[in-house]
Amino acid sequence: MQGVDHSLPIILMDHQPSHLEEPVGQGVDLQLSGHTHAGQLFPIRLITSRIFEDDWGYLRKGNFQLIVSSGYGTWGPPIRVGNTPEIVDITMTFNH
């Protein structure tokens, strides 16, 4: 990432938590994603857990951290079954 000050925290918001090798390779510190709805309807989570390295929750790879929210809304049918709707509240602190 040209022109990015890597001495500061690099935070990326990406709709889908896919192709994680890209933000890891670019030195991203934290990626916030959603899209998966953690399956939204059981048993779709069995599919999303195979598509995405992390389809819900927290993942750490070296200095890279990923938080994937299952969200609280819906896509398609207005129903959620067999998952945990959520709004994620993140508190960040930075050491100088």
Side-chain angles (χ1 to χ4, degrees), residues 69-85:
S69 171
S70 64
Y72 68 93
T74 60
W75 174 87
I79 187 169
R80 293 183 74 108
V81 177
N83 65 30
T84 306

Side-chain angles (χ1 to χ4, degrees), residues 2 8 10 12 29 42:
Q2 191 173 10
L8 299 172
I10 299 172
L12 170 68
D29 297 299
F42 183 82

Side-chain angles (χ1 to χ4, degrees), residues 4-84:
V4 174
D5 185 350
H6 286 271
S7 69
L8 299 172
I10 299 172
I11 301 170
L12 170 68
M13 293 180 70
D14 193 345
H15 185 71
Q16 295 186 53
S18 56
H19 307 290
L20 298 182
E21 67 280 355
E22 293 176 17
V24 169
Q26 294 291 329
V28 170
D29 297 299
L30 173 63
Q31 177 174 323
L32 306 171
S33 293
H35 178 75
T36 68
H37 298 265
Q40 186 174 333
L41 297 168
F42 183 82
I44 297 173
R45 177 122 197 253
L46 300 174
I47 297 169
T48 60
S49 66
R50 291 179 183 261
I51 293 172
F52 302 103
E53 184 175 349
D54 184 28
D55 70 335
W56 177 66
Y58 176 77
L59 173 72
R60 182 176 194 117
K61 298 176 90 167
N63 291 329
F64 173 76
Q65 299 177 79
L66 171 68
I67 298 173
V68 181
S69 171
S70 64
Y72 68 93
T74 60
W75 174 87
I79 187 169
R80 293 183 74 108
V81 177
N83 65 30
T84 306

